[in-house]
Amino acid sequence: MGHPYRYWPNALLINNGNETFTDHAEIAGIEPPPGGIVLEETIGGNEAARSSRCAATADFDNDGRVDLIVNNFNDHPYYFRNRFPRKKYVAFKLTGTHCNRDAVGTIVKLYSGKEVMTRQVHAAGGYLSQSSQTIHFGLGDRTKIDRVEILWHRGGRQEILNPSMNTLHRVTEPGPNKDR
């Protein structure tokens, strides 16, 4: 955190697809922050760093790419619109009826060939932040989703075969007595 004087650089790690990541913070314009690493004003005679404190993610502009809002110490929040090249994706906005309205705790598994991707709906995202509860899968160049399995928090199970790509799917939990 560098409170309140030290600056701590931001990172934006992009998955290389081979169990490694590359920092793209400078390429994306996240590092150094807009306006520089310190304010023009001082605090107690010391430079005041613009260190980031928290980040929340969501597809704010509904283009299928996850964007970023960053709150900063000694400065206003930054909005970083995702301008990386568009790739394929699928997203799920879940509504619980039996477990809880926001489907917190629900697990979504996506099956594509031999690959399985897993996401969980969370009620909290990190220090002083809450990311979108929409489940988002970046699919890269994959051409097909075989199926999606939704494991509702209170024990129900739902399956969607061959869901459309590049789509936000709205899914409501079946009632407790429905065949899932």
Side-chain angles (χ1 to χ4, degrees):
M1 277 176 42
H3 169 73
Y5 309 115
R6 290 192 45 217
Y7 177 73
W8 192 265
N10 293 310
L12 178 65
L13 300 177
I14 303 293
N15 190 333
N16 296 319
N18 61 1
E19 299 183 10
T20 66
F21 294 82
T22 302
D23 188 354
H24 282 80
E26 190 172 320
I27 294 166
I30 293 173
E31 187 60 39
I37 63 172
V38 295
L39 296 172
E40 290 181 26
E41 303 84 23
T42 61
I43 297 177
N46 294 303
E47 289 184 326
R50 284 188 167 101
S51 292
S52 299
R53 291 297 179 263
C54 62
T57 60
D59 184 3
F60 292 107
D61 56 1
N62 297 312
D63 68 354
R65 297 178 287 185
V66 177
D67 306 302
L68 186 65
I69 291 271
V70 179
N71 199 14
N72 300 287
F73 188 74
N74 299 323
D75 205 4
H76 61 278
Y78 303 144
Y79 169 60
F80 295 102
R81 184 173 178 209
N82 186 340
R83 296 184 189 276
F84 284 104
R86 289 179 197 250
K87 297 280 187 169
K88 295 176 185 166
Y89 77 97
V90 67
F92 298 89
K93 178 63 179 161
L94 307 178
T95 302
T97 58
H98 183 60
C99 66
N100 60 76
R101 183 193 65 192
D102 294 327
V104 172
T106 298
I107 296 171
V108 179
K109 293 184 177 186
L110 180 143
Y111 296 84
S112 178
K114 293 182 179 184
E115 293 180 286
V116 179
M117 295 182 220
T118 304
R119 305 279 187 276
Q120 183 174 22
V121 179
H122 294 281
Y127 177 70
L128 297 176
S129 67
Q130 171 60 54
S131 293
S132 171
Q133 291 177 335
T134 298
I135 298 292
H136 185 278
F137 291 94
L139 301 173
D141 297 322
R142 290 171 186 83
T143 58
K144 183 181 178 206
I145 302 168
D146 298 319
R147 67 185 174 97
V148 169
E149 181 180 32
I150 301 171
L151 304 170
W152 294 96
H153 179 62
R154 296 282 305 262
R157 181 184 170 279
Q158 204 170 352
E159 189 172 73
I160 302 170
L161 299 176
N162 303 310
S164 299
M165 298 173 91
N166 302 324
T167 302
L168 169 62
H169 298 270
R170 296 182 184 279
V171 182
T172 300
E173 178 184 23
N177 297 322
K178 303 282 184 187
D179 183 21
R180 298 175 190 183

